[in-house]
Amino acid sequence: MKTLIHIIPTLQNGGAENVLLRIVKEFDLDNKKQIVITTKGADSDFNCKSVKKYCKVLHYKGHPEEVRKVFKEHPEAKILAWMYGAIYFAHLWKIKYNTTNSIIWNIRHSNFGPNQWYQKIMLHFFGIASNVLKNKIIYCSYKSKEVHEKAFFKKQGSIVIVNRLAKKPFAKDLSKSVENEKPYFLFVGRFNPQKGPENLRTISQKIIENNSNIEIWIAGTGWDLNYFPKNIQPNIKLLGPREDVYALYTNAVGYLFTSTFGEGYPNVLAEASATGLPIIAFDAGDSKRILEAYDYGFLVYNNQQFAEKALWVLQNPITKKTRSKSSQKQIKQLDFSITVNEYKEFIAL
């Protein structure tokens, strides 16, 4: 039986990590042998316990010898390297341990922000390397493929495999209520420049100052209430990492997607649309492609438009019946089994 080794920086609660978890789970149903190696992760990572249900997980940071042993025991295993750091380590270990592993690059990023000069330089370095090494490449979005090929990434042997609905909603999650006295807009994501925190702060202030009865709920790590102006802090609710994300989507009045760069295929948009939730979003990554066929997806291009559309959504609520109908349509369109089959065919295990 051929072995597939996944290499990824961590197993935290991010888009790539959630897709990896689902891929590992689905491949396990076909009895495919898999090993997950993190370059800087730990057992405390959000998704680590879940991944361990399906395969062995090793953390290079604490156990480099175990990683060496895996490479020595599986010199011809296929490697799926998730994100740039993992790609670097995959090739480093292949050289260091003198193995013949074939390495597939799994690119999860698109463009960088205006001040990310180092990242832009490194992007071109990887682009040149891709032509020398001639590895197969998976892009998580069409935007990602477009950006990378402009940075000289090779075109042959590459494919776009979008995430679709990696985190599957269950009926019990979609019907679960959450305790809330006021209506709320939802944001899901860690505090990171890529997620547009400055935009979220500005938009939240505009929304709340125009409607003091609305709240903004934020699910994700790294947020501090003091980041927001004092006058709106009573209307901001920081939830931290949450497992009941579909219950949060289901009970919200709208979703706020404030990223303007760095996104590939934003999983949150697939998840939110699968609950029939109205979405206001900037055009980042494949957000336009995800929302163009969705009845309640609204693309905007500045913070003023964003706040105005959010207030319009608040003033024009849709019925539960309509949301349910839209939800079922999206779940069908975003069938993750298509993604799984595309991975299987491209990796050719």
Side-chain angles (χ1 to χ4, degrees), residues 160-200:
V160 175
I161 304 180
V162 297
N163 299 343
R164 297 182 179 86
L165 201 55
K167 190 179 287 186
K168 185 178 179 180
F170 296 99
K172 63 180 179 65
D173 299 316
L174 296 175
S175 62
K176 188 183 297 182
S177 62
V178 297
E179 295 183 9
N180 60 300
E181 296 179 359
K182 295 181 178 181
Y184 67 90
F185 282 105
L186 180 65
F187 174 92
V188 177
R190 66 192 185 281
F191 183 87
N192 184 283
Q194 180 182 313
K195 303 301 179 183
E198 293 182 2
N199 294 327
L200 181 61

Short mmCIF file of all heavy atoms in Angstrom, two decimals, residues 160-200:
data_model
loop_
_atom_site.label_atom_id
_atom_site.label_comp_id
_atom_site.label_asym_id
_atom_site.label_seq_id
_atom_site.Cartn_x
_atom_site.Cartn_y
_atom_site.Cartn_z
N VAL A 160 -6.28 23.50 -10.37
CA VAL A 160 -7.04 24.18 -9.31
C VAL A 160 -8.03 23.18 -8.73
O VAL A 160 -8.84 22.60 -9.46
CB VAL A 160 -7.81 25.40 -9.86
CG1 VAL A 160 -8.67 26.02 -8.75
CG2 VAL A 160 -6.84 26.44 -10.41
N ILE A 161 -7.94 22.94 -7.42
CA ILE A 161 -8.92 22.12 -6.71
C ILE A 161 -9.48 22.97 -5.58
O ILE A 161 -8.81 23.18 -4.56
CB ILE A 161 -8.30 20.83 -6.15
CG1 ILE A 161 -7.63 20.00 -7.25
CG2 ILE A 161 -9.38 20.00 -5.45
CD1 ILE A 161 -6.99 18.71 -6.77
N VAL A 162 -10.67 23.49 -5.76
CA VAL A 162 -11.24 24.38 -4.74
C VAL A 162 -11.73 23.56 -3.55
O VAL A 162 -12.07 22.38 -3.68
CB VAL A 162 -12.39 25.23 -5.32
CG1 VAL A 162 -11.87 26.15 -6.41
CG2 VAL A 162 -13.53 24.37 -5.84
N ASN A 163 -11.78 24.20 -2.40
CA ASN A 163 -12.10 23.50 -1.16
C ASN A 163 -13.55 23.02 -1.09
O ASN A 163 -13.85 22.00 -0.51
CB ASN A 163 -11.85 24.40 0.05
CG ASN A 163 -10.41 24.84 0.15
OD1 ASN A 163 -9.53 24.25 -0.46
ND2 ASN A 163 -10.15 25.89 0.90
N ARG A 164 -14.46 23.82 -1.66
CA ARG A 164 -15.89 23.59 -1.48
C ARG A 164 -16.22 23.56 0.01
O ARG A 164 -15.64 24.31 0.78
CB ARG A 164 -16.33 22.34 -2.23
CG ARG A 164 -16.13 22.47 -3.76
CD ARG A 164 -16.61 21.26 -4.51
NE ARG A 164 -16.41 21.43 -5.95
CZ ARG A 164 -15.30 21.15 -6.60
NH1 ARG A 164 -14.25 20.64 -5.94
NH2 ARG A 164 -15.20 21.35 -7.91
N LEU A 165 -17.11 22.67 0.42
CA LEU A 165 -17.58 22.68 1.81
C LEU A 165 -16.83 21.65 2.63
O LEU A 165 -17.29 20.53 2.84
CB LEU A 165 -19.09 22.41 1.84
CG LEU A 165 -19.86 22.86 3.07
CD1 LEU A 165 -19.66 24.34 3.36
CD2 LEU A 165 -21.34 22.56 2.89
N ALA A 166 -15.63 22.04 3.11
CA ALA A 166 -14.77 21.11 3.84
C ALA A 166 -15.34 20.74 5.21
O ALA A 166 -15.23 19.60 5.65
CB ALA A 166 -13.37 21.71 4.01
N LYS A 167 -15.94 21.72 5.86
CA LYS A 167 -16.52 21.47 7.18
C LYS A 167 -18.02 21.28 7.00
O LYS A 167 -18.78 22.23 6.84
CB LYS A 167 -16.24 22.64 8.13
CG LYS A 167 -16.59 22.36 9.58
CD LYS A 167 -16.24 23.55 10.47
CE LYS A 167 -14.75 23.69 10.66
NZ LYS A 167 -14.42 24.77 11.64
N LYS A 168 -18.45 20.04 7.03
CA LYS A 168 -19.83 19.70 6.69
C LYS A 168 -20.82 20.11 7.78
O LYS A 168 -20.62 19.81 8.95
CB LYS A 168 -19.94 18.19 6.45
CG LYS A 168 -21.30 17.72 5.97
CD LYS A 168 -21.28 16.22 5.72
CE LYS A 168 -22.63 15.73 5.25
NZ LYS A 168 -22.64 14.26 5.01
N PRO A 169 -21.91 20.80 7.39
CA PRO A 169 -22.94 21.15 8.39
C PRO A 169 -23.89 19.97 8.61
O PRO A 169 -24.26 19.28 7.66
CB PRO A 169 -23.67 22.31 7.73
CG PRO A 169 -23.52 22.07 6.27
CD PRO A 169 -22.19 21.40 6.08
N PHE A 170 -24.25 19.74 9.85
CA PHE A 170 -25.21 18.70 10.18
C PHE A 170 -26.53 19.34 10.59
O PHE A 170 -26.57 20.49 11.03
CB PHE A 170 -24.68 17.81 11.31
CG PHE A 170 -23.44 17.05 10.93
CD1 PHE A 170 -22.19 17.50 11.30
CD2 PHE A 170 -23.54 15.88 10.18
CE1 PHE A 170 -21.04 16.80 10.95
CE2 PHE A 170 -22.40 15.17 9.81
CZ PHE A 170 -21.15 15.63 10.20
N ALA A 171 -27.62 18.59 10.43
CA ALA A 171 -28.95 19.13 10.73
C ALA A 171 -29.03 19.66 12.16
O ALA A 171 -29.62 20.71 12.42
CB ALA A 171 -30.00 18.05 10.50
N LYS A 172 -28.39 18.96 13.09
CA LYS A 172 -28.43 19.39 14.49
C LYS A 172 -27.72 20.73 14.69
O LYS A 172 -28.10 21.53 15.55
CB LYS A 172 -27.81 18.32 15.39
CG LYS A 172 -26.34 18.05 15.15
CD LYS A 172 -25.82 16.97 16.09
CE LYS A 172 -24.34 16.68 15.83
NZ LYS A 172 -23.47 17.81 16.15
N ASP A 173 -26.69 20.98 13.88
CA ASP A 173 -25.97 22.25 13.98
C ASP A 173 -26.80 23.39 13.38
O ASP A 173 -26.83 24.50 13.91
CB ASP A 173 -24.63 22.16 13.26
CG ASP A 173 -23.73 21.11 13.85
OD1 ASP A 173 -23.65 21.04 15.09
OD2 ASP A 173 -23.11 20.34 13.08
N LEU A 174 -27.45 23.09 12.25
CA LEU A 174 -28.24 24.11 11.57
C LEU A 174 -29.49 24.48 12.34
O LEU A 174 -30.05 25.56 12.14
CB LEU A 174 -28.62 23.63 10.17
CG LEU A 174 -27.44 23.38 9.21
CD1 LEU A 174 -27.94 22.78 7.90
CD2 LEU A 174 -26.68 24.67 8.93
N SER A 175 -29.95 23.58 13.22
CA SER A 175 -31.17 23.86 13.99
C SER A 175 -30.88 24.35 15.41
O SER A 175 -31.79 24.70 16.14
CB SER A 175 -32.04 22.59 14.07
OG SER A 175 -31.34 21.55 14.75
N LYS A 176 -29.59 24.37 15.77
CA LYS A 176 -29.21 24.77 17.13
C LYS A 176 -29.35 26.28 17.31
O LYS A 176 -28.97 27.06 16.44
CB LYS A 176 -27.77 24.34 17.42
CG LYS A 176 -27.35 24.53 18.88
CD LYS A 176 -25.89 24.15 19.06
CE LYS A 176 -25.63 22.69 18.75
NZ LYS A 176 -24.20 22.33 18.98
N SER A 177 -29.89 26.71 18.44
CA SER A 177 -30.01 28.14 18.72
C SER A 177 -28.87 28.58 19.62
O SER A 177 -28.24 27.76 20.30
CB SER A 177 -31.35 28.44 19.40
OG SER A 177 -31.43 27.77 20.65
N VAL A 178 -28.55 29.87 19.60
CA VAL A 178 -27.55 30.43 20.50
C VAL A 178 -28.22 31.55 21.30
O VAL A 178 -29.19 32.16 20.84
CB VAL A 178 -26.33 30.99 19.74
CG1 VAL A 178 -25.60 29.89 19.01
CG2 VAL A 178 -26.75 32.08 18.77
N GLU A 179 -27.72 31.77 22.49
CA GLU A 179 -28.31 32.79 23.34
C GLU A 179 -27.88 34.18 22.88
O GLU A 179 -26.70 34.53 22.94
CB GLU A 179 -27.89 32.57 24.81
CG GLU A 179 -28.43 31.28 25.40
CD GLU A 179 -28.04 31.13 26.87
OE1 GLU A 179 -27.52 32.11 27.44
OE2 GLU A 179 -28.26 30.05 27.43
N ASN A 180 -28.84 34.95 22.41
CA ASN A 180 -28.54 36.32 22.00
C ASN A 180 -29.79 37.18 22.14
O ASN A 180 -30.85 36.83 21.63
CB ASN A 180 -28.00 36.38 20.57
CG ASN A 180 -28.98 35.82 19.55
OD1 ASN A 180 -29.38 34.66 19.62
ND2 ASN A 180 -29.37 36.65 18.61
N GLU A 181 -29.64 38.28 22.85
CA GLU A 181 -30.77 39.20 23.05
C GLU A 181 -30.91 40.15 21.87
O GLU A 181 -32.00 40.61 21.56
CB GLU A 181 -30.59 39.98 24.35
CG GLU A 181 -30.61 39.11 25.60
CD GLU A 181 -30.41 39.91 26.87
OE1 GLU A 181 -30.22 41.15 26.76
OE2 GLU A 181 -30.42 39.31 27.96
N LYS A 182 -29.79 40.46 21.23
CA LYS A 182 -29.80 41.39 20.11
C LYS A 182 -29.40 40.67 18.83
O LYS A 182 -28.67 39.68 18.87
CB LYS A 182 -28.82 42.54 20.37
CG LYS A 182 -29.18 43.44 21.55
CD LYS A 182 -28.15 44.56 21.68
CE LYS A 182 -28.52 45.51 22.82
NZ LYS A 182 -27.53 46.63 22.93
N PRO A 183 -29.84 41.15 17.67
CA PRO A 183 -29.37 40.58 16.40
C PRO A 183 -27.87 40.84 16.25
O PRO A 183 -27.35 41.84 16.77
CB PRO A 183 -30.19 41.33 15.35
CG PRO A 183 -30.59 42.61 16.01
CD PRO A 183 -30.77 42.28 17.47
N TYR A 184 -27.18 39.96 15.54
CA TYR A 184 -25.73 40.14 15.40
C TYR A 184 -25.25 39.78 13.99
O TYR A 184 -25.79 38.91 13.33
CB TYR A 184 -24.98 39.30 16.43
CG TYR A 184 -25.08 37.81 16.26
CD1 TYR A 184 -24.17 37.09 15.47
CD2 TYR A 184 -26.10 37.08 16.89
CE1 TYR A 184 -24.27 35.71 15.31
CE2 TYR A 184 -26.20 35.71 16.74
CZ TYR A 184 -25.29 35.03 15.95
OH TYR A 184 -25.39 33.67 15.78
N PHE A 185 -24.23 40.52 13.56
CA PHE A 185 -23.45 40.15 12.39
C PHE A 185 -22.29 39.31 12.88
O PHE A 185 -21.76 39.53 13.97
CB PHE A 185 -22.92 41.39 11.65
CG PHE A 185 -23.93 42.09 10.81
CD1 PHE A 185 -24.50 43.29 11.22
CD2 PHE A 185 -24.33 41.55 9.60
CE1 PHE A 185 -25.44 43.94 10.44
CE2 PHE A 185 -25.27 42.19 8.80
CZ PHE A 185 -25.83 43.39 9.22
N LEU A 186 -21.87 38.35 12.06
CA LEU A 186 -20.81 37.42 12.46
C LEU A 186 -19.56 37.61 11.62
O LEU A 186 -19.63 37.87 10.41
CB LEU A 186 -21.31 35.99 12.31
CG LEU A 186 -20.33 34.86 12.68
CD1 LEU A 186 -20.00 34.90 14.16
CD2 LEU A 186 -20.92 33.50 12.29
N PHE A 187 -18.41 37.49 12.28
CA PHE A 187 -17.11 37.43 11.62
C PHE A 187 -16.38 36.22 12.19
O PHE A 187 -16.32 36.04 13.41
CB PHE A 187 -16.30 38.70 11.89
CG PHE A 187 -14.88 38.65 11.36
CD1 PHE A 187 -14.58 39.12 10.09
CD2 PHE A 187 -13.85 38.10 12.12
CE1 PHE A 187 -13.29 39.06 9.59
CE2 PHE A 187 -12.55 38.03 11.63
CZ PHE A 187 -12.28 38.52 10.36
N VAL A 188 -15.81 35.39 11.32
CA VAL A 188 -15.05 34.22 11.78
C VAL A 188 -13.64 34.32 11.21
O VAL A 188 -13.45 34.37 10.00
CB VAL A 188 -15.71 32.90 11.32
CG1 VAL A 188 -14.86 31.71 11.75
CG2 VAL A 188 -17.12 32.78 11.88
N GLY A 189 -12.65 34.35 12.10
CA GLY A 189 -11.26 34.43 11.65
C GLY A 189 -10.35 34.94 12.75
O GLY A 189 -10.78 35.66 13.65
N ARG A 190 -9.09 34.57 12.68
CA ARG A 190 -8.11 35.02 13.67
C ARG A 190 -7.77 36.48 13.44
O ARG A 190 -8.02 37.04 12.37
CB ARG A 190 -6.84 34.17 13.58
CG ARG A 190 -6.07 34.35 12.29
CD ARG A 190 -4.99 33.29 12.11
NE ARG A 190 -4.16 33.53 10.94
CZ ARG A 190 -4.52 33.24 9.69
NH1 ARG A 190 -5.71 32.71 9.46
NH2 ARG A 190 -3.70 33.47 8.68
N PHE A 191 -7.15 37.11 14.44
CA PHE A 191 -6.66 38.48 14.28
C PHE A 191 -5.37 38.42 13.48
O PHE A 191 -4.34 37.94 13.95
CB PHE A 191 -6.41 39.13 15.63
CG PHE A 191 -5.99 40.58 15.53
CD1 PHE A 191 -6.94 41.58 15.46
CD2 PHE A 191 -4.65 40.93 15.47
CE1 PHE A 191 -6.56 42.92 15.34
CE2 PHE A 191 -4.26 42.25 15.36
CZ PHE A 191 -5.22 43.25 15.30
N ASN A 192 -5.44 38.87 12.24
CA ASN A 192 -4.31 38.80 11.33
C ASN A 192 -4.54 39.82 10.23
O ASN A 192 -5.67 39.99 9.78
CB ASN A 192 -4.21 37.39 10.74
CG ASN A 192 -3.02 37.19 9.85
OD1 ASN A 192 -3.02 37.62 8.70
ND2 ASN A 192 -1.99 36.52 10.36
N PRO A 193 -3.47 40.52 9.78
CA PRO A 193 -3.65 41.53 8.73
C PRO A 193 -4.38 41.01 7.50
O PRO A 193 -5.12 41.74 6.84
CB PRO A 193 -2.20 41.92 8.39
CG PRO A 193 -1.44 41.68 9.64
CD PRO A 193 -2.06 40.46 10.26
N GLN A 194 -4.18 39.73 7.18
CA GLN A 194 -4.83 39.13 6.02
C GLN A 194 -6.35 39.14 6.15
O GLN A 194 -7.07 39.14 5.15
CB GLN A 194 -4.33 37.70 5.83
CG GLN A 194 -4.93 36.97 4.65
CD GLN A 194 -4.43 35.55 4.54
OE1 GLN A 194 -3.25 35.28 4.63
NE2 GLN A 194 -5.35 34.61 4.35
N LYS A 195 -6.86 39.12 7.37
CA LYS A 195 -8.30 39.05 7.60
C LYS A 195 -8.97 40.42 7.63
O LYS A 195 -10.18 40.51 7.85
CB LYS A 195 -8.58 38.30 8.91
CG LYS A 195 -8.00 36.89 8.96
CD LYS A 195 -8.54 36.03 7.84
CE LYS A 195 -7.94 34.62 7.85
NZ LYS A 195 -8.42 33.81 6.70
N GLY A 196 -8.20 41.47 7.42
CA GLY A 196 -8.78 42.81 7.35
C GLY A 196 -9.32 43.36 8.66
O GLY A 196 -10.42 43.91 8.69
N PRO A 197 -8.56 43.24 9.76
CA PRO A 197 -9.07 43.73 11.05
C PRO A 197 -9.37 45.23 11.06
O PRO A 197 -10.34 45.67 11.70
CB PRO A 197 -7.96 43.37 12.04
CG PRO A 197 -6.73 43.24 11.20
CD PRO A 197 -7.20 42.67 9.90
N GLU A 198 -8.56 46.02 10.36
CA GLU A 198 -8.81 47.46 10.30
C GLU A 198 -10.13 47.75 9.60
O GLU A 198 -10.90 48.63 10.01
CB GLU A 198 -7.65 48.18 9.60
CG GLU A 198 -6.35 48.14 10.38
CD GLU A 198 -5.24 48.91 9.68
OE1 GLU A 198 -5.50 49.50 8.60
OE2 GLU A 198 -4.12 48.92 10.19
N ASN A 199 -10.40 47.00 8.55
CA ASN A 199 -11.69 47.15 7.86
C ASN A 199 -12.84 46.77 8.78
O ASN A 199 -13.86 47.46 8.83
CB ASN A 199 -11.72 46.29 6.60
CG ASN A 199 -10.73 46.73 5.56
OD1 ASN A 199 -10.44 47.91 5.43
ND2 ASN A 199 -10.21 45.78 4.80
N LEU A 200 -12.68 45.66 9.50
CA LEU A 200 -13.74 45.21 10.39
C LEU A 200 -14.02 46.25 11.47
O LEU A 200 -15.18 46.51 11.82
CB LEU A 200 -13.36 43.87 11.04
CG LEU A 200 -14.40 43.28 11.99
CD1 LEU A 200 -15.71 42.99 11.25
CD2 LEU A 200 -13.87 42.00 12.65
#
